[in-house]
Amino acid sequence: VAHNAAFELLWMLYKAEEAGIEFVPFAYEDSMACARLYHARENILSLADVTRIHLGVNIKAVHTVNINNMEAEPLSRVLPYNGLDAQSCLKAFHKMRRHIKTENYDRFIETIHSTARMELIGLDADMEENTRLKERWQKQLNETAARARQLYEVKAFEREKQIEFNIGSPAHVGIALVEFGKVDLPKTS
């Protein structure tokens, strides 16, 4: 069981390739995948959040290891941290796993290996085409934003809020529609 098996698998594939070792896939579980399915939210994915919610303790706050510079830490401190991390990941996984649909979780896990391999292999990019597309889409965005600035709702938004309307902001668009366009949109979380 790993927390963010996609990252761990990608790292193992990279290191195996670097060492010239053939990597043989194995069975694994992912507590982050469980968290994504259990909470149906992208902002509750860190192991710190998951352990705080499901185990009653922020596992990342009970150690003094500098995780941003792990290489500088002595092994005598890193190993207990890794053990605590792994044990809490396993416990949180088991608490969440029984509450999520097996077919959703299995589908999620099935994608991890192929996605990690694709990330490692990479994808050729046509940088000239990328530049052309970027210029085209930026021109389209500028034209659309200029047309939007002519709308009554956008003018009222800018006058009332004393800020420039950003057509790329869902909050700005929502405010302009609801407050100034009197559109009755349902409120969602």
Side-chain angles (χ1 to χ4, degrees):
V1 176
H3 193 76
N4 192 358
F7 171 80
E8 301 297 345
L9 184 60
L10 181 60
W11 182 247
M12 286 189 278
L13 286 167
Y14 174 76
K15 284 302 199 179
E17 185 177 285
E18 188 179 71
I21 300 169
E22 182 184 347
F23 183 83
V24 179
F26 54 89
Y28 51 85
E29 305 290 351
D30 189 347
S31 57
M32 183 183 282
C34 277
R36 183 178 298 271
L37 294 168
Y38 181 90
H39 296 285
R41 297 170 67 180
E42 288 196 28
N43 60 344
I44 302 181
L45 296 180
S46 73
L47 189 56
D49 290 338
V50 168
T51 57
R52 190 183 77 251
I53 292 166
H54 296 282
L55 305 178
V57 62
N58 175 348
I59 205 69
K60 297 297 185 179
V62 298
H63 67 84
T64 58
V65 173
N66 180 358
I67 59 174
N68 294 321
N69 192 11
M70 192 84 72
E71 298 84 20
E73 294 285 342
L75 199 54
S76 62
R77 289 175 39 147
V78 171
L79 290 178
Y81 162 78
N82 285 347
L84 186 62
D85 202 63
Q87 184 181 31
S88 62
C89 174
L90 179 65
K91 285 184 176 190
F93 168 79
H94 285 298
K95 283 195 169 216
M96 291 181 289
R97 180 66 182 92
R98 63 179 170 249
H99 299 288
I100 59 177
K101 290 183 178 178
T102 297
E103 59 271 11
N104 291 346
Y105 177 76
D106 289 348
R107 194 173 320 121
F108 205 106
I109 292 299
E110 287 170 8
T111 66
I112 291 175
H113 189 79
S114 59
T115 302
R117 286 230 182 251
M118 286 189 296
E119 283 186 50
L120 189 62
I121 293 168
L123 182 65
D124 289 336
D126 182 339
M127 296 310 290
E128 289 176 12
E129 180 64 13
N130 180 50
T131 300
R132 281 192 294 277
L133 286 171
K134 182 179 178 183
E135 289 169 358
R136 185 175 111 204
W137 291 335
Q138 187 62 51
K139 180 181 176 194
Q140 186 177 355
L141 174 65
N142 293 343
E143 290 169 357
T144 303
R147 285 195 314 270
R149 279 192 204 88
Q150 302 308 309
L151 298 172
Y152 164 80
E153 295 82 0
V154 172
K155 289 178 180 179
F157 171 93
E158 290 181 334
R159 185 175 53 251
E160 179 78 24
K161 301 296 182 187
Q162 294 294 304
I163 57 174
E164 184 177 334
F165 179 78
N166 177 359
I167 196 168
S169 165
H172 286 194
V173 173
I175 291 168
L177 288 171
V178 173
E179 289 184 24
F180 304 107
K182 305 300 182 204
V183 174
D184 186 25
L185 294 176
K187 292 189 191 298
T188 64
S189 58

